[in-house]
Amino acid sequence: MGKIAQVRPSAPTACLPPLARLPSCSLDRIAEALANLQILYLPSRSLQQNILLKSKHLPGHLIHDTSVPDSGYASEEDEDDSSDDDGEAIELLRADSFERDFAVRWLTGFAARSETWVYLHEEEEEARASLVDDAAALLAFFAGEEEEVALTRKFVFQLGQDGKETLEVELNDAPLLSDDYTSVGLQSWASSIHLGERMSSDPDAWGFIVPGKEIRLLELGAGTGLVSIVAAKLMQATGQAHKTIATDFHPSVLDNLQANVNANFPASPSPSPIDVLKLDWEHPEYDAPLDKPFDVIMAADVIYHPEHANWIKSCVEHSLLRPSSALAQDGGVFWLIFAVRSTGRHEGLASTVSAVFPQASVVTSKTPVLAILESEDIGKQSGVGRADESAYTLCKIGWVQARVDESS
């Protein structure tokens, strides 16, 4: 592999198409614009290598078309062709605050309009969704350079069927870390919003409102804490005794999660109504207070890798309250909601859930196994969710075993 050649990108004000004309912009045009920004603001070798790998998922003519800015790679023989004047001009352009601000505003507007643009041409959906991911990565890079980039989001959910009362949750959505995909929990995703809506509309349906009993509730991959905070507020409103534990893995996510818990329960007596703990699904440690079984376990949008469903199943098998007897219905319940992504890098991962959690109707095991008791398909709502999310599935999962026919 040769060294990086000096490439002369265009100024953002010159290369970025007007957002008002986005519906008429071709895949090639947007690919060219984003490649130009990547070369201008992300010139390191490792990042350029990542761009080349991403381009393999697009139709071959896009990135390698002569109208698109060069990838940044060249042979060592070509390296001497670039001049010191060109390098200085690029550095001046890179440092231009007006051009940088224009790029950020354009990327923000593109992200806001991306859903419509992605679905304009069915045959290009995957390629277009991949470019939206590239735009998001660029935004994350710019956000990482700012001191104050967090976004405070306020969610208002209607309580009960009549909706006369509301439940409010205020969350800090931090920017994704540009160099770490595991930081996705820094933002609130549509699956958790849908689950929060359903929990608020019918609090009694989730197994955490049981008078006379202290409920133990665990959230896996809590992220910003929306699900745990909604559940805790619902239990607090009814006087339900509970022990709620919100878990995640990434240190930055855990810090943001704790801040969100503190912000939503500012006047709560010690201890806090929600404990925030680290839990690694692949290598879990079940020290106190994770050492006792839970009545309810919840997880929203936690499937981002082919092994995640398996790891989560193992955690739930260990932690979910088992029924007291073969015929008893007193076991715990696991609520799992996930996005169905038919395009992009997470395409098809929803199928890993059904691969590890069978439908209850087909269970033949004589000992309790985790199976899907009920499921609900939730359609995409305008203004909620990423462009690559086409729908959502909510699963109620519990302990199931085949009944033994005593007459046989």
Side-chain angles (χ1 to χ4, degrees):
M1 177 70 71
K3 297 180 180 179
I4 302 176
Q6 189 67 61
V7 179
R8 184 109 182 231
S10 301
T13 51
C15 78
L16 298 175
L19 289 172
R21 300 178 188 171
L22 188 60
S24 64
C25 286
S26 68
L27 191 59
D28 300 66
R29 184 70 181 88
I30 300 300
E32 179 182 355
L34 292 178
N36 186 79
L37 292 181
Q38 289 169 322
I39 293 166
L40 176 59
Y41 295 111
L42 305 178
S44 72
R45 180 171 185 143
S46 61
L47 286 168
Q48 289 289 350
Q49 200 168 25
N50 188 40
I51 292 167
L52 288 177
L53 290 173
K54 284 183 178 182
S55 73
K56 294 179 181 178
H57 299 292
L58 298 173
H61 67 282
L62 293 179
I63 298 301
H64 303 294
D65 186 90
T66 56
S67 66
V68 181
D70 191 275
S71 66
Y73 279 92
S75 65
E76 293 186 32
E77 290 82 1
D78 296 333
E79 189 177 359
D80 291 336
D81 292 340
S82 60
S83 67
D84 291 338
D85 289 341
D86 280 346
E88 183 175 331
I90 293 170
E91 288 304 319
L92 287 173
L93 176 58
R94 188 173 290 139
D96 189 318
S97 59
F98 177 82
E99 292 291 341
R100 179 177 290 253
D101 290 343
F102 183 88
V104 171
R105 290 195 301 273
W106 187 91
L107 288 166
T108 302
F110 175 71
R113 298 166 171 81
S114 62
E115 181 176 349
T116 300
W117 182 76
V118 165
Y119 296 115
L120 279 174
H121 298 280
E122 184 176 353
E123 70 279 7
E124 295 179 346
E125 282 183 8
E126 181 175 359
R128 288 175 176 243
S130 182
L131 289 180
V132 172
D133 285 344
D134 288 345
L138 277 163
L139 270 176
F141 165 76
F142 286 119
E145 294 190 328
E146 304 293 335
E147 292 184 3
E148 298 294 335
V149 292
L151 172 67
T152 299
R153 300 180 66 185
K154 187 174 183 179
F155 298 91
V156 180
F157 300 114
Q158 294 184 341
L159 281 175
Q161 300 299 321
D162 56 19
K164 293 181 179 179
E165 297 182 34
T166 59
L167 182 151
E168 296 184 1
V169 176
E170 189 170 288
L171 298 177
N172 179 70
D173 270 19
L176 302 183
L177 302 181
S178 59
D179 60 349
D180 192 344
Y181 77 93
T182 65
S183 68
V184 293
L186 287 168
Q187 297 186 355
S188 302
W189 300 91
S191 291
S192 62
I193 297 172
H194 286 302
L195 185 52
E197 289 176 344
R198 279 159 172 71
M199 290 163 59
S200 299
S201 65
D202 189 7
D204 294 326
W206 305 88
F208 52 67
I209 306 296
V210 184
K213 177 182 179 179
E214 181 181 63
I215 292 296
R216 284 178 54 82
L217 186 148
L218 170 68
E219 184 181 3
L220 302 174
T224 60
L226 177 59
V227 172
S228 290
I229 291 170
V230 169
K233 286 194 172 189
L234 290 171
M235 288 187 281
Q236 192 176 65
T238 62
Q240 173 68 53
H242 67 97
K243 177 72 171 180
T244 298
I245 302 176
T247 65
D248 215 294
F249 173 74
H250 196 285
S252 296
V253 175
L254 289 167
D255 290 343
N256 189 57
L257 173 58
Q258 185 65 69
N260 284 335
V261 169
N262 295 343
N264 281 276
F265 299 98
S268 296
S270 183
S272 169
I274 301 176
D275 289 343
V276 174
L277 296 175
K278 177 180 178 180
L279 181 62
D280 181 350
W281 306 332
E282 185 178 9
H283 305 291
E285 297 181 5
Y286 298 108
D287 298 329
L290 297 173
D291 56 336
K292 297 178 181 178
F294 290 86
D295 302 280
V296 180
I297 299 179
M298 294 187 157
D301 211 347
V302 291
I303 310 296
Y304 286 93
H305 185 278
E307 289 299 320
H308 281 171
N310 271 316
W311 297 344
I312 289 168
K313 179 185 178 184
S314 296
C315 291
V316 177
E317 283 179 329
H318 179 276
S319 299
L320 188 65
L321 180 68
R322 291 175 178 265
S324 57
S325 65
L327 298 178
Q329 302 294 316
D330 55 357
V333 61
F334 171 42
W335 296 98
L336 173 65
I337 185 170
F338 53 90
V340 178
R341 296 180 170 94
S342 54
T343 62
R345 66 191 64 182
H346 304 304
E347 178 183 355
L349 285 182
S351 64
T352 62
V353 174
S354 57
V356 300
F357 294 106
Q359 294 292 325
S361 59
V362 302
V363 171
T364 58
S365 173
K366 299 300 190 294
T367 58
V369 297
L370 290 172
I372 298 174
L373 306 175
E374 302 172 13
S375 63
E376 176 190 357
D377 293 328
I378 302 170
K380 185 73 176 287
Q381 294 180 11
S382 178
V384 180
R386 288 165 46 101
D388 63 347
E389 298 172 357
S390 58
Y392 308 87
T393 300
L394 172 62
C395 295
K396 179 181 182 180
I397 298 171
W399 295 107
V400 177
Q401 68 184 90
R403 294 198 176 193
V404 178
D405 187 353
E406 298 179 354
S407 63
S408 59

